[in-house]
Amino acid sequence: MSEEPAFKRALLKLSGEAFQGGLEFGIDLTMLNRFASEIAEVAATGVELAVVVGAGNIFRGVNASKQGLDRVAADYMGMLATILNCVALQDALEKTGTPTRVLSAIEVPQICEPYIRRRAMRHLEKGRVVIFAAGTGNPYFSTDMAAALRAAEIGAEVILKATKVDGVYDSDPVTNPGAVKYERLTHMEVLRNNLRVMDATAISLCMDEDLPVIVFNLLETGNVKKAIMGENIGTRVVVE
Ligand code: UDP
């Protein structure tokens, strides 16, 4: 394994569910601290790292809207919920001694900075982990879309999409023991076969911007660093 990171700048997407750990809802502090130490280890390699955090552990707009809440209101609630996760992650990261900034697409000036692209780039250049909160700031989108958008905006070379399984399969490996894992896929194959990597809007943007996505298992300790160091883990989604 080479000592140098394989990427200069990368964006890590953590789902809200990952924060939930063994809980029914909310933030499992043991998991939070584990992710923070993994991220700290990666930041120490010198890679410029941005993180987008979801909110499925707290609130998902689309679910609430199915139960009768106005979709736009529900999505704003989902975006606000991401801020909770981001503030928690910032705290855990700073306890490891890793300088971190939270930049939010919805302004909450008492809590974090507003999202300003140039500011985000400056923080990254200074070696701070940048956490993007509140998704894209727009309803009807997801935090996967926010990951694709921010990665494109800041010129990240890769999106590391952390999940609960060790890559992309042709069917659900939890229910089908014969499911086959893909080593490599194109964005177009993901779209055509409706594979569950990211939502179609997010994958389309990655395809247009030639942004590779590495899908890997976050629950295996050390995987974020392996992905950053260029080790062959999970599934790689590439343009060609
Ligand atoms: N959300 C939104 N716009 C965005 C990003 C997120 O409206 O740009 C809302 C949406 O309601 C979503 C919720 O925030 O359900 C939480 O995000 P997501 O479901 O992507 O979280 P994850 O699945 O990664 O935990």
Side-chain angles (χ1 to χ4, degrees):
M1 191 170 90
S2 122
E3 291 300 303
E4 286 291 307
F7 308 101
K8 190 175 177 310
R9 183 172 287 174
L11 186 142
L12 172 68
K13 165 69 206 304
L14 295 175
S15 72
E17 255 180 38
F19 281 51
Q20 202 170 312
L23 305 179
E24 296 243 318
F25 167 88
I27 301 173
D28 178 336
L29 294 185
T30 311
M31 287 306 261
L32 181 73
N33 289 325
R34 217 183 95 185
F35 300 149
S37 65
E38 292 222 20
I39 293 171
E41 207 191 333
V42 167
T45 66
V47 67
E48 294 178 6
L49 189 68
V51 187
V52 166
V53 182
N57 57 324
I58 302 171
F59 198 86
R60 271 216 177 91
V62 73
N63 296 348
S65 77
K66 278 184 196 144
Q67 288 164 31
L69 204 65
D70 172 71
R71 172 71 195 260
V72 174
D75 279 343
Y76 278 123
M77 292 168 74
M79 286 186 270
L80 292 175
T82 68
I83 301 174
L84 306 189
N85 284 334
C86 291
V87 171
L89 182 62
Q90 177 175 42
D91 181 63
L93 263 172
E94 298 218 314
K95 286 196 174 109
T96 70
T98 309
T100 306
R101 296 290 186 273
V102 177
L103 271 59
S104 175
I106 293 176
E107 288 195 36
V108 214
Q110 282 79 3
I111 299 175
C112 53
E113 296 177 24
Y115 170 69
I116 297 168
R117 175 176 170 260
R118 283 176 182 279
R119 196 181 278 186
M121 313 266 271
R122 187 80 189 116
H123 287 318
L124 290 167
E125 285 160 12
K126 288 190 167 180
R128 298 165 182 151
V129 172
V130 171
I131 306 176
F132 293 122
T136 64
N138 300 292
Y140 299 103
F141 287 100
S142 66
T143 51
D144 278 353
M145 181 57 194
L149 178 66
R150 296 292 182 242
E153 285 181 275
I154 63 169
E157 290 158 277
V158 68
I159 295 179
L160 307 178
K161 161 87 179 164
T163 68
K164 286 190 293 188
V165 284
D166 61 347
V168 185
Y169 285 78
D170 61 352
S171 55
D172 187 349
V174 179
T175 51
N176 176 13
V180 177
K181 189 180 123 188
Y182 296 101
E183 296 295 320
R184 198 171 169 283
L185 282 165
T186 64
H187 299 77
M188 190 51 92
E189 283 168 334
V190 171
L191 287 171
R192 229 185 260 132
N193 301 319
N194 201 15
L195 298 171
R196 294 205 305 170
V197 175
M198 292 170 125
D199 55 77
T201 326
I203 278 291
S204 298
L205 180 59
C206 293
M207 181 167 70
D208 291 347
E209 293 307 310
D210 199 357
L211 247 171
V213 182
I214 303 176
V215 184
F216 67 97
N217 189 351
L218 181 66
L219 303 177
E220 230 171 80
T221 309
N223 263 353
V224 188
K225 185 158 180 202
K226 283 184 186 165
I228 283 290
M229 301 310 282
E231 275 193 47
N232 208 5
I233 60 161
T235 300
R236 255 160 213 272
V237 182
V238 288
V239 168
E240 264 322 317

